[in-house]
Amino acid sequence: MTDLHMHSRYSEDGEFTPSELVKQCAEKGIRIMSVTDHNCAKSNEDAANAAKQNGITYIPGIEIDCTFQDTNFHLLGYGIDFQSSDFEAIEKNIDDQSLQASLDRLTETQALGFGNITEKNMWALSKNNYWKGSWSGEMFAEVLLAMPEYADHPLLKPYRPGGERSDNPYVNFYWDYYSQGKPCYANIDYPAMEEIIAIIHRNHGAAVIAHPGVNLKGKDFLLEDILNLGIDGIEAFSSYHNLRQAAYYYKIAQERNMFVTCGSDYHGKTKPSIGIGQHNCPIPYEEMAQQLEKHFR
């Protein structure tokens, strides 16, 4: 089995250490893996060492926020030189903007009708995080759903057990209220997609568009232009994609002679219904391994 998209504690919304992720992959029978933290490449050294000890093939990775035509996207970089200063610069750019964005999210969350949530609540939750000053939508959901005074708040009802958004309550709350265009969205100036593709290529990596079925929702017309920027692959098989979407993106990749990847986007508690290796990829392991070998060995 293969899983090329998961997050450690070096992501603001990840639960486990890189070595813990490797252990979980070993227990699940994963034979090829990559840890792809948000805008941070620091997990790769620990993950690579642990993977080697467990007989797992490890591909260095990262997931970078970027923009194309005023729309936010996630770009995966694989096979990168993860010790490059380029990735330190990407991390610093996000870190420099994170606290103000977090405070903006807090203000907008209070305006939704959650006036009792405070900076103190958010600092308490983030104190052990690598990104201490970055409070994600998932983190706001975790705090709000645990506050007794909001036990019956109508906005939270869909995310409680039995609600229509309760399968992954934290990340669903993020998508509904904190993603681009939603009421609690806080702007961060992300680099252009063209710039990130160039950085990945400059560091000997391959650029793959992550879960396009999510970021392209309602903007499918952008895909052709994106693929013409020099993208190397498509994450066709994702926990976010249904079988129809996966087949659609797989067909596009085949027509363009691009490679495809599969990733669960596993985070731990942020997405409790998503496990390692959960991406519905029907490609046999041997075929996937041969494809990846052409690019990363």
Side-chain angles (χ1 to χ4, degrees):
M1 292 179 63
T2 303
D3 194 336
L4 299 177
H5 190 162
M6 63 189 74
H7 295 269
S8 79
R9 287 182 184 171
Y10 284 104
S11 291
E12 61 188 5
D13 49 3
E15 181 178 2
F16 301 105
T17 66
S19 58
E20 286 172 338
L21 289 178
V22 172
K23 181 180 179 181
Q24 291 179 41
C25 284
E27 292 170 350
K28 290 285 188 178
I30 300 296
R31 298 165 67 184
I32 305 175
M33 66 173 291
S34 181
V35 179
T36 51
D37 282 312
H38 296 299
N39 306 300
C40 180
K42 287 186 168 61
S43 63
N44 284 287
E45 185 170 3
D46 288 347
N49 290 335
K52 184 177 181 180
Q53 294 173 5
N54 283 271
I56 297 173
T57 298
Y58 186 78
I59 298 174
I62 190 171
E63 184 175 25
I64 304 173
D65 287 277
C66 59
T67 63
F68 181 73
Q69 295 192 18
D70 299 319
T71 303
N72 294 343
F73 289 92
H74 293 171
L75 206 63
L76 295 158
Y78 291 117
I80 56 170
D81 174 8
F82 58 84
Q83 295 178 322
S84 167
S85 60
D86 285 335
F87 300 111
E88 293 179 0
I90 287 170
E91 179 182 331
K92 185 178 186 303
N93 173 53
I94 301 302
D95 193 33
D96 286 347
Q97 301 180 70
S98 288
L99 180 56
Q100 185 57 55
S102 295
L103 294 173
D104 292 343
R105 292 185 194 108
L106 176 61
T107 299
E108 296 301 330
T109 302
Q110 292 167 336
L112 277 181
F114 300 110
N116 289 349
I117 191 170
T118 65
E119 286 187 43
K120 184 177 180 180
N121 297 130
M122 302 312 298
W123 283 115
L125 184 61
S126 67
K127 64 182 179 181
N128 295 321
N129 286 13
Y130 178 73
W131 300 84
K132 290 181 174 60
S134 183
W135 308 331
S136 66
E138 293 93 338
M139 294 171 68
F140 280 100
E142 186 173 355
V143 170
L144 291 172
L145 287 167
M147 295 177 75
E149 59 264 49
Y150 297 131
D152 297 317
H153 197 290
L155 290 184
L156 296 179
K157 186 176 180 180
Y159 310 94
R160 298 199 182 277
E164 62 266 28
R165 300 288 280 163
S166 63
D167 58 336
N168 288 305
Y170 298 163
V171 74
N172 286 339
F173 194 74
Y174 156 76
W175 286 117
D176 294 343
Y177 289 98
Y178 297 85
S179 60
Q180 190 176 24
K182 301 299 183 178
C184 297
Y185 175 71
N187 185 65
I188 287 182
D189 291 326
Y190 297 123
M193 184 180 289
E194 298 93 326
E195 179 184 346
I196 296 305
I197 293 172
I199 289 173
I200 291 171
H201 287 167
R202 184 164 72 234
N203 288 282
H204 316 296
V208 174
I209 184 168
H211 42 62
V214 175
N215 297 102
L216 281 168
K217 185 178 292 185
K219 295 189 176 183
D220 288 341
F221 60 89
L222 292 178
L223 182 60
E224 183 72 18
D225 289 339
I226 288 172
L227 297 182
N228 288 334
L229 294 177
I231 293 284
D232 302 291
I234 301 175
E235 186 182 50
F237 302 101
S238 165
S239 58
Y240 283 117
H241 292 170
N242 58 37
L243 294 178
R244 180 190 60 78
Q245 290 173 308
Y248 171 71
Y249 292 117
Y250 178 75
K251 182 174 182 291
I252 289 175
Q254 292 293 98
E255 291 173 347
R256 286 178 164 264
N257 197 32
M258 304 169 75
F259 72 94
V260 298
T261 64
C262 53
S264 62
D265 201 5
Y266 176 69
H267 285 68
K269 66 180 179 180
T270 300
K271 302 177 182 180
S273 72
I274 295 174
I276 284 175
Q278 186 177 330
H279 45 60
N280 298 314
C281 179
I283 300 175
Y285 162 76
E286 292 76 12
E287 183 179 334
M288 180 64 73
Q290 289 176 359
Q291 174 192 238
L292 296 174
E293 186 174 10
K294 294 178 182 178
H295 292 274
F296 306 118
R297 289 187 185 176

